[in-house]
Amino acid sequence: MENSSFVIITGLSGAGKSNAVKVFEDMGYFCVDNLPAPLIPKFAELCLQSAGKVDKMALVIDIRGDLFLNDLNRNLDELRKMEIPYQILFLEASDEVLIQRFKETRRNHPLRPQGTVSDGITKEREKLSELRGRADKIMDTSRMKVSEFRTELRSQWEGISDKLSISIITFGYKHGVPIDTDLLIDVRFMPNPYYIPELRPLTGRDPAVQDYVYESGECQEFIQKYMDLLHFLLPNYIKEGKTHLTIGIGCTGGQHRSIAIGIKIGQILQEEGYPVNLRHRDN
């Protein structure tokens, strides 16, 4: 069981658990949806007795198992006693996005079948707050396309490496800060291409914008100092047992500076052998 993967998928209704299960199935995981918490240790025991036939498992636990949520901590502790390592993936999204998703699917919220979706979301956040606190990975799917969601999951769980799998998210502060980042850096101190008329309609993907950003003294010094910090942190994260790191890089609108810096840092990390998934959230 040392090389097996045991993932518990949970989170808010409408945040993407069904899509997550499909991704894990594609990665060869044996998946069980809505398993009552008291059955988790028994399920793990059966997998242990499968003689290696089942060595990658993904379980979905959500508010439909409300009666069993109070026993969840005890059952997770039981897994520890059985020396079965597991990870908790918690999916969430903003209230506005969740409400829109429920409207599009014409579904009722499981906690408010006759009431408002908003009330159900509020109640669910409260009930799942403790489980969220135990999560190893929290993903906000509010602004993620399905393809981006799949890529993010695969980048963390599909392959095992002695190096960290790294996700870089570029964004604009005016659109809100992503909540699922481990390291967050603000690059709004750099010269802004937005104020150069010929660069304004372009993005950080364009060579002209990259040249403008990279050639500034602030950028060159920042890249050197930030990479020094990462060179210190990454080996220590690996030593601590961390397998995935999410870096958020933000500028004002998420169009120029953050994208250019994200591309540069991603290229450096890839050249050093780290698996990197780069996503531009707001552009």
Side-chain angles (χ1 to χ4, degrees):
M1 202 69 177
E2 291 181 357
N3 296 322
S4 69
S5 297
F6 196 160
V7 182
I8 297 172
I9 304 169
T10 187
L12 300 176
S13 301
K17 294 189 293 296
S18 296
N19 286 331
V21 169
K22 294 177 183 177
V23 177
F24 278 95
E25 286 178 341
D26 291 343
M27 291 189 291
Y29 281 72
F30 181 81
C31 299
V32 178
D33 190 10
N34 197 26
L35 185 73
L39 298 182
I40 292 177
K42 185 63 177 178
F43 174 78
E45 184 180 354
L46 291 174
C47 292
L48 280 171
Q49 297 172 355
S50 70
K53 294 179 180 179
V54 179
D55 60 357
K56 296 199 298 183
M57 299 148 281
L59 308 180
V60 177
I61 297 177
D62 58 25
I63 206 65
R64 289 174 293 170
D66 184 34
L67 294 176
F68 304 106
L69 284 177
N70 292 334
D71 295 328
L72 183 57
N73 285 331
R74 179 174 57 81
N75 288 282
L76 292 179
D77 291 339
E78 186 66 24
L79 288 181
R80 299 287 189 196
K81 294 178 182 178
M82 297 169 66
E83 298 184 349
I84 299 176
Y86 64 86
Q87 291 181 302
I88 298 177
L89 167 64
F90 192 96
L91 304 177
E92 62 184 14
S94 67
D95 286 10
E96 293 77 11
V97 169
L98 292 174
I99 291 172
Q100 183 61 35
R101 290 175 182 174
F102 274 101
K103 286 183 178 179
E104 290 173 353
T105 59
R106 298 183 179 181
R107 293 169 50 211
N108 292 321
H109 194 281
L111 291 187
R112 278 290 185 271
Q114 305 301 326
T116 67
V117 172
S118 180
D119 290 341
I121 293 171
T122 299
K123 187 175 181 180
E124 187 174 30
R125 286 191 190 279
E126 294 173 355
K127 286 182 172 291
L128 294 179
S129 60
E130 184 174 355
L131 184 55
R132 184 185 187 278
R134 295 191 64 154
D136 299 281
K137 174 67 175 178
I138 298 173
M139 288 181 64
D140 184 347
T141 65
S142 301
R143 294 177 177 269
M144 297 180 75
K145 299 177 182 178
V146 174
S147 59
E148 294 172 337
F149 182 51
R150 293 177 63 89
T151 299
E152 178 71 11
L153 289 178
R154 284 183 175 276
S155 72
Q156 179 161 352
W157 275 286
E158 187 166 38
I160 303 299
S161 172
D162 60 351
K163 287 187 177 290
L164 277 171
S165 173
I166 300 174
S167 293
I168 297 175
I169 303 175
T170 70
F171 68 95
Y173 275 93
K174 72 177 184 180
H175 302 298
V177 177
I179 62 174
D180 51 347
T181 59
D182 299 302
L183 299 177
L184 189 65
I185 188 69
D186 182 347
V187 297
R188 288 177 291 185
F189 64 89
M190 294 184 186
N192 192 350
Y194 177 84
Y195 296 109
I196 308 300
E198 60 268 28
L199 299 181
R200 181 177 298 180
L202 305 179
T203 75
R205 301 179 183 87
D206 293 292
V209 173
Q210 293 176 2
D211 290 343
Y212 178 84
V213 174
Y214 298 158
E215 289 174 1
S216 71
E218 294 93 334
C219 177
Q220 294 177 21
E221 186 173 0
F222 165 78
I223 293 293
Q224 179 182 346
K225 291 182 180 297
Y226 196 67
M227 290 311 303
D228 285 343
L229 175 63
L230 291 180
H231 289 151
F232 167 76
L233 290 175
L234 299 186
N236 283 286
Y237 285 149
I238 293 172
K239 186 186 305 181
E240 185 264 339
K242 195 173 183 65
T243 59
H244 187 266
L245 180 74
T246 300
I247 300 173
I249 302 174
C251 63
T252 303
Q255 178 180 343
H256 297 109
R257 292 166 292 181
S258 61
I259 291 178
I261 297 301
I263 289 173
K264 173 62 72 174
I265 291 176
Q267 288 174 343
I268 295 173
L269 291 172
Q270 284 181 323
E271 290 171 359
E272 295 177 354
Y274 290 97
V276 176
N277 173 42
L278 177 62
R279 177 165 68 93
H280 306 303
R281 190 194 71 177
D282 298 324
N283 190 279

